Amino acid sequence: MKPHDTVIANIIADSEEATDSKRSLNRRQFLTRLAAYSGGALSTLPAFAQLSSGQLQPETTGAASLTPVVEAIGKEVWENDQLNEDAVSELMDQAMMKLTGRSSAKEAWRDIVLPDDVVGIKINPLAGPELSTHSIIVDKIVDGLYGAGVLRKQIIIWDRFEEHLLNAGYPIKRDESDVQTFASDTDGIGYDDEVYYESEKDSLARRENESIRSRYSRIVTEQVDVIINVPVLKHHAMAGVSGCLKNLAFGSVDNTRRFHGKPIYCNPAISEILEHKVLKDKLTLNIVDGLLASFDRGPTYHAESTWQYGSLFISADPVILDVLVLQTVNQKREEMDLDSVSKFANHINTASSLGLGTNTLDQADLRQVEV
């Protein structure tokens, strides 16, 4: 963290307030436990293998009305501490084909977008180069969109803060003839004074300029037609997990710190922000980057609480994916003798109750692919 990054400094301060010190491990304890596993690696089961039935739902005709959900497991995406980009590329292709039932990745992407769409790729760059959305995944999305007829100049990679994009390895690019990368705080972008989320269900002391409004970024209100949401699979001290819902909601508006900490823990703000048509109606696909995942001390990066999971979760439904993210983080925490974080993740059930997706696995067509 850079000394002047007040956003991350505030996140760390709020996270420390929310953390139960009795269940926290210090760095030495983490390393001791990590060393207890063979080669220092942890052995979290694939998400679908953790389901109570232990069975994948069959891809039958009856499953057509269910929401397709793909878990893509890459057995060779990591070579020691380096990503095998060819293996990640193949994993993405196979996952998209599995999701859509198409025989090629090119055909799969044509099911997701139309050639005249302006597509916003919402990444998560908060945790720096180690635990942010991997560029290989973003590059594959761009290639897929282009293959589906979307011109490169119709693609925007974005987040809230320029500084976070830069720190994660995403240079700001404003060439309107090519793929652009910029943030809500980039000069000339900003927030929409006419489109906002208003709520007093927050922390008065954490409000920006004493405002009860969180304005939506002009990126989502004016610039993009379609949103592809690409969060990271990670723990979050105040929301349990930082998955699809939190990445898009709090990444699309300003004045979000007011929802952090006790007793709010980001609920119901996350779901109510996503309920607005500028997000709900534009969200087309979610791809959870689980190549490297974290099980504690999130949302910032700490090497001792991450592991090479090597997987992706993909669906149009952000709620069911967050169920899988929460399940995966909890299972890893159980291995490390840490408490479940489900009590902090009430926003997932709230999102389901608002019709943003399902939190019931019985309503999902679970499809697994291994590469």
Side-chain angles (χ1 to χ4, degrees), residues 38 56 64-65 118 157 215 226 248 268 303 312 315 337 352 363:
S38 60
L56 293 183
S65 60
V118 176
I157 301 165
R215 300 170 300 167
V226 167
L248 185 55
L312 306 172
S315 179
D337 194 28
S352 180
Q363 296 179 12

Side-chain angles (χ1 to χ4, degrees), residues 97-127:
M97 288 188 282
K98 194 72 171 180
L99 180 74
T100 60
R102 299 298 184 180
S103 59
S104 71
K106 186 174 183 178
E107 292 175 327
W109 280 105
R110 287 175 175 169
D111 283 353
I112 305 300
V113 293
L114 297 173
D116 59 349
D117 284 333
V118 176
V119 182
I121 303 174
K122 171 62 180 74
I123 65 171
N124 189 316
L126 184 142

